[in-house]
Amino acid sequence: MCTGMEGMALAGGLQMGGTLLSGLSQYQQSRTQADLARADAQTERETAQRQAELIMRRTRQVQGAARAATAASGAAIDEWSMRGERDILAAGMADAEAAIISGKSRALNLETTARFQDAAAIGAIGNSLFQMGTMGKGWKGGMGMRTNDLSGVNGSNALDVWARSGVGSD
């Protein structure tokens, strides 16, 4: 049969173990979210590149159709008639570059999220260790526990009560 002290020690140990497990769980969750954000960032970059390639392929198709229409009309193929094709190419290149820039921007946002999740993971472990430390600090066994004896304290002075009660100190 457990005595009161053994029971308190067991309960304190279980509480500390629970705190550590909670911190580890939060750590794993944050790391998983960070890994997912990094994977999403890579997907955004790849998607933007494929989108830009698709835009350029369609731009070349439109440019070829414009050249065929110019030739079918019987107009002379000269610098002036080629201007429309150059405008089509410039617009397509601008659209492709915008797609890449947009994808990179989304990827950078996701990578920033991943870095914040990494920091949260480290913070979760640190917090659980801190909580365990404060639990361990409060446990001194039966003889060393504070009683918060307030005899001789001036009850009309709140600062005096606070200072002598042991709140916020060892």
Side-chain angles (χ1 to χ4, degrees), residues 1-2 11 26-27 40 42 46 52 54 60-61 67 73-74 77 90 104 112 115 141 143 153 155 159 161:
M1 185 161 140
C2 292
Q26 291 172 2
Y27 173 83
D40 288 347
Q42 183 62 32
E46 292 169 359
L54 179 64
R60 286 188 294 274
Q61 289 172 348
R67 180 176 292 151
S73 71
I77 306 284
K104 284 182 180 179
T112 300
R115 284 193 296 274
M143 299 299 282
V153 174
L159 182 60
V161 171

Side-chain angles (χ1 to χ4, degrees), residues 16-36:
M16 291 173 82
T19 300
L20 180 61
L21 285 176
S22 174
L24 288 173
S25 173
Q26 291 172 2
Y27 173 83
Q28 286 294 352
Q29 180 182 7
S30 293
R31 290 303 303 253
T32 300
Q33 289 175 348
D35 291 342
L36 288 172

Side-chain angles (χ1 to χ4, degrees), residues 105-120:
S105 175
R106 289 189 304 268
L108 286 174
N109 287 338
L110 288 166
E111 288 169 349
T112 300
T113 299
R115 284 193 296 274
F116 283 136
Q117 289 297 332
D118 284 337

Side-chain angles (χ1 to χ4, degrees), residues 63-166:
Q63 193 177 22
R67 180 176 292 151
T70 301
S73 71
I77 306 284
D78 57 6
E79 191 67 28
W80 181 255
S81 64
M82 299 296 285
R83 184 176 177 132
E85 289 181 43
R86 283 193 307 272
D87 290 345
I88 291 169
L89 180 62
M93 290 175 71
D95 288 347
E97 190 167 336
I100 289 173
I101 290 171
S102 177
K104 284 182 180 179
S105 175
R106 289 189 304 268
L108 286 174
N109 287 338
L110 288 166
E111 288 169 349
T112 300
T113 299
R115 284 193 296 274
F116 283 136
Q117 289 297 332
D118 284 337
I122 292 168
I125 288 292
N127 187 38
S128 70
L129 292 175
F130 176 75
Q131 286 178 350
M132 287 175 54
T134 57
M135 286 177 203
K137 184 178 177 187
W139 173 253
K140 295 181 181 176
M143 299 299 282
M145 294 184 75
R146 173 170 304 172
T147 62
N148 288 339
D149 182 15
L150 297 178
S151 60
V153 174
N154 179 359
S156 64
N157 184 345
L159 182 60
D160 189 37
V161 171
W162 176 80
R164 292 185 188 211
S165 68

